[in-house]
């Protein structure tokens, strides 16, 4: 694994944006796995900026997001559909029909999850998966537990995750109890993984993930087994390494 530490979020985000655009330059029809949350916002900002300035086109790219809340409509302010449109898709030339996000509102979420896997498998493997890490070691919404699921699945969010994400909602009660997430299969099959972690409050879980035992209790620890993992950190996140 390649671990790089940056002095500022700007530098970290710039590196990640260049990394992604270099990949697209080399492979214009790249299949990208994308993440949401606070961490990638700077990366997407820089991607949009570089896209405008460089004219690198993402017209042939396919993008698959990791997850979506169950029960939030695609227009809900906190849905990842809205997040992706706001932070990335509205600023680049990726055709909307090539931007896939798990469906959180189907009558049969499991059937929709299987459809998502079918699309992923047809397009995949992912050329690159961009990932953050949760305070509890989750990747996507693959929460710690006795087992992990390889395929896209419906997941009950842990109270830790709901509490962490409640800052975006009016109250904890409004945070969905369930989500749909890509499983660990496509993440581990991705040709490369770019893990970005910021902040001292992630330093402990990051150390466990990168250097602790590989365990379903810390889903990010599986990444130790990935043949091509790049980890981008700020100084806070790197503190315990
Ligand atoms: P964050 O989320 O970037 O908002 O901290 C990361 C995650 O939960 O994967």
């Amino acid at each position: 694994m390649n671990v790089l530490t940056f002095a500022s979020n700007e530098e970290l985000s710039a590196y990640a944006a260049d990394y992604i655009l270099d990949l697209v330059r080399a492979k214009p029809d790249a299949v990208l796995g994308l993440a949401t949350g606070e961490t990638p916002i700077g990366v997407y900002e820089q991607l949009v900026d570089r896209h405008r300035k460089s004219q690198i086109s993402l017209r042939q790219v396919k993008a698959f997001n990791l997850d979506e809340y169950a029960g939030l409509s695609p227009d809900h302010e906190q849905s990842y559909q809205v997040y992706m449109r706001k932070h990335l898709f509205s600023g680049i030339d990726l055709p909307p029909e090539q931007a896939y996000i798990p469906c959180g509102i189907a009558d049969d979420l499991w059937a929709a999850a299987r459809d998502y896997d079918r699309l992923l498998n047809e397009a995949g493997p992912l050329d690159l998966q961009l990932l953050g890490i949760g305070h509890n070691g989750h990747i996507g919404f693959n929460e710690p537990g006795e087992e992990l699921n390889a395929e896209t699945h419906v997941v009950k969010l842990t109270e830790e995750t709901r509490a962490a994400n409640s800052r975006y909602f009016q109250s904890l009660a409004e945070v969905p109890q369930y989500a749909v997430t890509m499983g660990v299969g496509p993440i581990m099959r991705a040709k490369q993984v770019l893990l970005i972690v910021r902040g001292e409050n992630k330093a402990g879980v990051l150390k466990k993930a990168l250097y602790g035992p590989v365990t379903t209790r810390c889903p990010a620890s599986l990444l130790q087994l990935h043949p091509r993992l790049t980890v981008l950190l700020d100084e806070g996140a790197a503190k315990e390494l």
Side-chain angles (χ1 to χ4, degrees):
M1 96 180 70
N2 188 14
V3 182
L4 302 169
T5 304
F6 297 85
S8 70
N9 183 38
E10 285 66 36
E11 287 166 78
L12 186 161
S13 297
Y15 187 94
D18 283 336
Y19 198 98
I20 295 167
L21 284 178
D22 283 349
L23 172 69
V24 173
R25 203 181 280 114
K27 189 176 183 202
D29 61 349
V31 185
L32 303 178
L34 298 178
T36 49
E38 198 173 334
T39 316
I41 291 176
V43 179
Y44 295 148
E45 261 170 30
Q46 304 247 11
L47 245 172
V48 167
D49 191 52
R50 281 161 163 67
H51 164 69
R52 287 207 181 112
K53 289 179 181 149
S54 69
Q55 298 301 320
I56 297 173
S57 175
L58 290 99
R59 228 176 315 131
Q60 296 180 60
V61 164
K62 281 191 181 138
F64 286 87
N65 262 78
L66 284 166
D67 45 23
E68 179 59 286
Y69 289 113
L72 294 194
S73 86
D75 291 324
H76 189 287
E77 214 186 327
Q78 295 310 329
S79 73
Y80 291 153
Q81 288 270 0
V82 167
Y83 172 104
M84 290 306 296
R85 284 201 295 274
K86 178 172 163 196
H87 294 295
L88 183 64
F89 296 152
S90 60
I92 59 175
D93 62 348
L94 176 76
E97 64 276 15
Q98 286 160 220
Y100 302 93
I101 298 181
C103 177
I105 52 159
D107 288 338
D108 185 342
L109 287 177
W110 284 96
R114 285 192 294 276
D115 288 343
Y116 198 68
D117 277 330
R118 204 168 309 121
L119 290 165
L120 246 173
N121 290 333
E122 276 165 24
L126 298 165
D127 289 296
L128 178 132
Q129 175 66 58
L130 179 67
L131 273 185
I133 183 174
H135 293 96
N136 63 0
H138 73 203
I139 44 177
F141 276 138
N142 291 281
E143 298 281 40
E146 289 300 315
E147 51 190 40
L148 287 169
N149 202 321
E151 274 97 39
T152 302
H153 58 285
V154 182
V155 60
K156 183 161 173 46
L157 297 175
T158 62
E159 285 314 305
E160 204 173 355
T161 294
R162 291 186 66 243
N165 290 5
S166 66
R167 65 192 193 276
Y168 300 114
F169 293 82
Q170 307 277 25
S171 67
L172 179 61
E174 276 186 25
V175 184
Q177 304 272 355
Y178 290 88
V180 182
T181 185
M182 194 190 283
V184 293
I187 298 172
M188 293 304 288
R189 285 194 298 274
K191 291 183 191 160
Q192 38 178 332
V193 172
L194 191 59
L195 174 67
I196 50 174
V197 190
R198 286 171 49 207
E200 209 172 326
N201 60 3
K202 297 263 180 85
V205 73
L206 179 74
K207 184 180 177 188
K208 267 207 261 173
L210 298 186
Y211 301 111
V214 175
T215 164
T216 59
R217 295 260 160 224
C218 179
S221 67
L222 258 74
L223 298 173
Q224 292 179 39
L225 306 177
H226 195 282
R228 200 162 165 207
L229 171 67
T230 302
V231 187
L232 308 183
L233 307 174
D234 68 2
E235 284 170 356
K239 216 149 203 165
E240 292 190 28
L241 300 187

